[in-house]
Amino acid sequence: MTLEKNLKERIKELTCLYEVSSIIVNNDYKEVDKTLYSIALSLRKSFQYSKNTIVEIKAEKLHLITSALPHKSVFIESIITIFNEPKGYIKVHYSTDKFEKKDFLKEEKKLLKNVAINVGDLLERVAIRENEAVIKRKMEHADRLSILGEITAGIAHELNTPLANILGFAELLKGKEPNSTQANKDLDKIINSAIFSREVVKKLMFFACEMPQNFTKTDIVPVIKEAINLLDATFKKNELTCKTTLPKGEILLKADTIQLTQVIFNLVLNAIYFSPKNGLIEITLEETSKKIILKISDEGSGIEPENVQKIFQPFFTTKTVGDGSGLGLSVVHGIIKSHRGTIDYQANNPTGALFIITFPKQ
Ligand code: ADP
């Protein structure tokens, strides 16, 4: 190659690198695919036979190509690494009709390597941003729930005493009233309403982690088995299949077994409610070195994205009136929290809801 040609190639290479860094600086994080496409075009321009050059970029879910690939191609390739892990590649192709591998210049290979490093850096920043956004959203959600917990605890405490009084005095009066009078029937209504309200208050106390607990180190495998056995008739009645995967050995957890049963009941009853006929409900318990993980999934409608943030809030329900009070998941959340665990919702694949409960091992 002549000196002049050499110089021209070098200028093209430097121009490309400059362009790539400008494209990256102006990257819009909402449109990373566009950024990558601009990089591919810039790279194509810098190759000796740019008109015949085809650039292909594959990085995680993104896959783009500057023009259709020929039937057979010769190519050079550079791996894109994100956090030191290979996560994709950039390939530059020529059709074998006209070109051979030796048509790629040494400088072009070097340039490709440099661009791949720049793309890797960009995708690392994208990943960090996404991660930060997820953490921020989670923290805001946790914050909101804990403020709600404090308010709820206050209200529940304030209502407890008057409710106990209403119930106590109504029962006292009932004892003095002859049976089957209208007053006696009215007193029954007062008593039943007071009992119902007391149950609501009790659930709110669970949500606010204000219920007394009886923690013992127990093998939770039989606890889960028993809870599911109790629901067996409900599965059959609703024509559903339940698949349980429990470890063979024991799994020890410091837990309140009655409350743990309550958690399983609430989650599985929701799963049953939202399941289609012949749907499958899966319950899995597994253990890692640091965590105990309980998963409950169904094949129902799943939860609308705009509702996911609300499901643990007291009184949020999408069930028809009379079917739900919107307190089931609030109780679950409170119980899990007081066990120092976490509960997360994910969409099940291909449809349905998946709840993942994680307890740290003590
Ligand atoms: P309730 O069951 O009384 O509605 P929950 O607190 O248990 O109250 O649930 C709140 C809401 O979360 C439900 O009304 C529903 O919208 C949603 N939800 C909970 N579990 C599921 C599930 N398995 N599938 C679809 N939606 C669910």
Side-chain angles (χ1 to χ4, degrees):
M1 206 189 281
T2 62
L3 188 65
E4 192 188 341
K5 218 173 166 204
N6 230 335
L7 207 62
K8 254 192 182 161
E9 285 309 314
R10 183 84 185 120
I11 289 172
K12 269 210 261 176
E13 185 193 320
L14 288 175
T15 312
C16 173
L17 273 182
Y18 175 74
E19 258 183 35
V20 167
S21 39
S22 310
I23 294 167
I24 287 179
V25 166
N26 293 318
N27 166 54
D28 177 351
Y29 281 95
K30 284 187 218 105
E31 296 183 322
V32 178
D33 48 344
K34 274 195 184 158
T35 305
L36 291 185
Y37 194 66
S38 309
I39 292 174
L41 291 182
S42 169
L43 193 59
R44 185 176 69 174
K45 229 170 32 189
S46 69
F47 271 63
Q48 211 188 160
Y49 306 106
S50 55
K51 283 208 180 79
N52 299 295
T53 304
I54 301 154
V55 179
E56 180 188 6
I57 302 183
K58 167 118 180 69
E60 294 189 313
K61 277 174 255 156
L62 292 166
H63 191 186
L64 52 94
I65 203 152
T66 52
S67 53
L69 272 180
H71 187 54
K72 258 186 157 182
S73 71
V74 275
F75 64 86
I76 51 172
E77 172 185 34
S78 242
I79 299 298
I80 299 172
T81 57
I82 303 177
F83 300 118
N84 295 326
E85 301 246 352
K87 284 283 158 79
Y89 55 76
I90 309 184
K91 285 182 186 172
V92 178
H93 303 260
Y94 286 138
S95 162
T96 45
D97 291 348
K98 287 193 201 152
F99 297 93
E100 297 175 21
K101 194 124 188 183
K102 66 173 173 29
D103 289 317
F104 289 108
L105 304 173
K106 210 166 71 216
E107 287 74 20
E108 289 173 342
K109 286 180 196 154
K110 226 171 72 196
L111 173 67
L112 183 61
K113 209 169 143 196
N114 264 326
V115 173
I117 291 172
N118 279 323
V119 169
D121 287 349
L122 167 73
L123 295 176
E124 265 177 23
R125 282 202 298 280
V126 171
I128 290 170
R129 257 180 94 106
E130 273 168 9
N131 207 9
E132 274 173 359
V134 169
I135 291 173
K136 196 166 160 240
R137 231 177 301 135
K138 273 200 174 163
M139 288 202 15
E140 279 169 3
H141 187 208
D143 258 6
R144 213 175 318 135
L145 282 180
S146 86
I147 294 168
L148 216 52
E150 278 173 41
I151 301 171
T152 307
I155 298 171
H157 274 297
E158 285 300 313
L159 288 180
N160 235 351
T161 318
L163 270 179
N165 285 341
I166 294 170
L167 197 60
F169 284 113
E171 272 167 352
L172 212 68
L173 273 179
K174 192 176 146 67
K176 289 182 187 158
E177 189 63 31
N179 276 347
S180 70
T181 60
Q182 185 58 42
N184 196 301
K185 282 184 201 145
D186 292 346
L187 280 168
D188 272 339
K189 281 184 194 148
I190 295 175
I191 290 169
N192 286 338
S193 297
I195 290 173
F196 176 81
S197 310
R198 207 177 50 178
E199 283 306 305
V200 171
V201 168
K202 207 163 118 189
K203 286 177 184 164
L204 290 176
M205 303 272 264
F206 269 115
F207 171 66
C209 303
E210 294 270 334
M211 285 304 275
Q213 281 172 313
N214 185 10
F215 281 126
T216 41
K217 197 150 197 164
T218 351
D219 175 14
I220 60 167
V221 178
V223 178
I224 292 172
K225 247 188 221 163
E226 247 168 67
I228 295 163
N229 281 345
L230 286 173
L231 290 164
D232 209 37
T234 323
F235 286 125
K236 290 216 174 84
K237 199 176 127 218
N238 289 278
E239 300 178 48
L240 299 169
T241 318
C242 175
K243 186 177 163 216
T244 322
T245 315
L246 300 173
K248 294 227 166 54
E250 55 178 24
I251 290 197
L252 291 174
L253 181 72
K254 218 171 135 211
D256 183 320
T257 50
I258 295 177
Q259 293 188 3
L260 191 64
T261 308
Q262 183 77 52
V263 164
I264 293 162
F265 264 51
N266 288 3
L267 289 174
V268 175
L269 286 174
N270 272 343
I272 292 174
Y273 183 93
F274 289 101
S275 281
K277 210 171 155 185
N278 296 320
L280 172 71
I281 292 174
E282 280 191 87
I283 300 158
T284 322
L285 181 68
E286 56 198 28
E287 182 177 36
T288 67
S289 59
K290 291 204 178 112
K291 292 174 189 165
I292 293 165
I293 303 157
L294 175 65
K295 293 182 189 161
I296 297 178
S297 70
D298 61 64
E299 297 180 330
S301 51
I303 296 169
E304 296 290 327
E306 69 266 26
N307 287 342
V308 172
Q309 294 286 313
K310 299 182 201 152
I311 51 173
F312 298 113
Q313 293 174 8
F315 306 115
F316 174 79
T317 180
T318 57
K319 289 183 182 169
T320 39
V321 182
D323 275 0
S325 60
L327 287 170
L329 287 183
S330 308
V331 167
V332 168
H333 189 272
I335 294 176
I336 305 287
K337 195 172 164 199
S338 55
H339 281 73
R340 296 197 297 123
T342 56
I343 176 161
D344 285 302
Y345 167 79
Q346 271 178 25
N348 194 20
N349 197 7
T351 62
L354 164 63
F355 285 93
I356 304 172
I357 298 170
T358 311
F359 296 109
K361 274 192 187 168
Q362 285 92 355

